[in-house]
Amino acid sequence: MKNKKTVIIFSITLIFLFIIAFLVLSKENEETKDEFIKESSELVIGKIKVAVSPTFYYLFQDLKENNNIEVFETDSTLEGLDLMERGVVDVAVLGRPLREEELSLLSEVVGGGYDFIYKEEMVISEEEMSEIVFYTDLETEEVINDFKQITSRNIVKIEDIENYIEKGIVITSIDGLLVRELVHVLKDDGSRVRLSRLPRVYYFEETPRKNLDYLIDLIEDKK
């Protein structure tokens, strides 16, 4: 009888301790959640106004309702730069490197893609890619993996793009100002082949780093 009473008391004690532990953990989780929400709300300084060129609309399709982001869909890189120059937007996500005569901005590459360049501006279709010999200073295997129309038979590894840009289309990654002209690689429906442009975030020197990191993290999640 005594043993039975001891077991009952022990069981009640365990249950009581379990309830206390559960309440303590629940409170800690709630405090952690509140702290996370507070940190997230303090992550950006004001609403980030972003101009986006057509190639990268897809990156922002489900971000239009984001309370920290206001998206301005533009028709071109030029329009995005104009919105920045007039102070309408804070940041622009564009696919074309800046030209020497254009507004001086800082930039960061934020996703996968390439720059297709040639001595003059031109348009090619996705189907035509299999009939064109391309030159690249990048790893040919990576380019072949990203474009099914390019094989080892129609891409040539080079060292200096300046020696080949007069001969044909060069696939590269431009770090700085635009060299020569971009090639527009289009699908049958007229939309751009996504990886034929390298996404860049353009911003002013005074743009808060918190805002940039927040935006870049959102874009990186869409890669």
Side-chain angles (χ1 to χ4, degrees):
M1 187 72 176
K2 184 178 179 181
N3 289 340
K4 185 176 181 181
K5 186 177 180 180
T6 302
V7 171
I8 293 173
I9 294 173
F10 180 72
S11 299
I12 293 173
T13 303
L14 281 180
I15 293 172
F16 180 71
L17 291 174
F18 174 79
I19 292 173
I20 292 176
F22 176 78
L23 292 174
V24 170
L25 288 174
S26 296
K27 184 178 180 180
E28 289 180 352
N29 288 336
E30 191 65 30
E31 290 176 350
T32 300
K33 181 180 179 181
D34 291 342
E35 186 64 26
F36 175 78
I37 292 173
K38 181 181 179 182
E39 288 178 359
S40 296
S41 64
E42 295 175 349
L43 188 58
V44 298
I45 303 174
K47 185 181 285 288
I48 308 171
K49 297 179 180 179
V50 187
V52 185
S53 62
T55 308
F56 307 115
Y57 286 171
Y58 76 96
L59 291 172
F60 294 86
Q61 285 305 304
D62 59 351
L63 295 180
K64 293 180 181 179
E65 303 303 321
N66 186 305
N67 291 331
N68 294 322
I69 301 286
E70 184 176 356
V71 179
F72 293 73
E73 293 185 347
T74 69
D75 293 328
S76 65
T77 292
L78 194 59
E79 183 182 352
L81 294 176
D82 178 64
L83 290 176
M84 290 196 72
E85 190 170 16
R86 292 192 287 116
V88 177
V89 299
D90 314 299
V91 180
V93 179
L94 309 173
R96 172 171 71 73
L98 294 175
R99 301 181 189 280
E100 188 172 0
E101 68 274 12
E102 289 177 329
L103 184 67
S104 177
L105 296 167
L106 301 176
S107 68
E108 292 184 30
V109 173
V110 292
Y114 303 88
D115 294 310
F116 283 61
I117 59 175
Y118 185 48
K119 63 182 179 181
E120 58 191 33
E121 186 176 15
M122 67 181 300
V123 178
I124 62 173
S125 68
E126 189 174 25
E127 290 185 357
E128 289 177 314
M129 292 176 72
S130 61
E131 304 170 4
I132 297 172
V133 175
F134 296 95
Y135 301 93
T136 186
D137 58 346
L138 306 175
E139 293 298 325
T140 56
E141 289 185 5
E142 292 182 10
V143 178
I144 291 171
N145 288 336
D146 285 332
F147 300 98
K148 62 181 181 180
Q149 301 83 2
I150 299 178
T151 69
S152 58
R153 294 189 296 275
N154 67 322
I155 189 167
V156 179
K157 175 71 174 179
I158 61 173
E159 296 298 327
D160 186 358
I161 64 175
E162 282 294 335
N163 293 332
Y164 290 86
I165 204 165
E166 296 286 336
K167 300 179 181 180
I169 298 174
V170 173
I171 302 174
T172 188
S173 176
I174 297 174
D175 181 18
L177 297 175
L178 178 62
V179 180
R180 303 302 180 89
E181 299 295 332
L182 287 179
V183 176
H184 306 277
V185 187
L186 306 181
K187 298 180 181 179
D188 291 339
D189 61 4
S191 63
R192 194 180 307 280
V193 173
R194 185 178 297 176
L195 291 178
S196 67
R197 283 290 169 91
L198 187 61
R200 298 170 171 87
V201 172
Y202 288 96
Y203 58 95
F204 297 103
E205 186 174 1
E206 61 269 22
T207 302
R209 188 67 231 182
K210 286 183 178 181
N211 289 10
L212 285 174
D213 289 341
Y214 180 80
L215 177 64
I216 290 172
D217 285 345
L218 288 176
I219 295 174
E220 290 288 344
D221 287 341
K222 306 297 178 183
K223 287 169 55 180

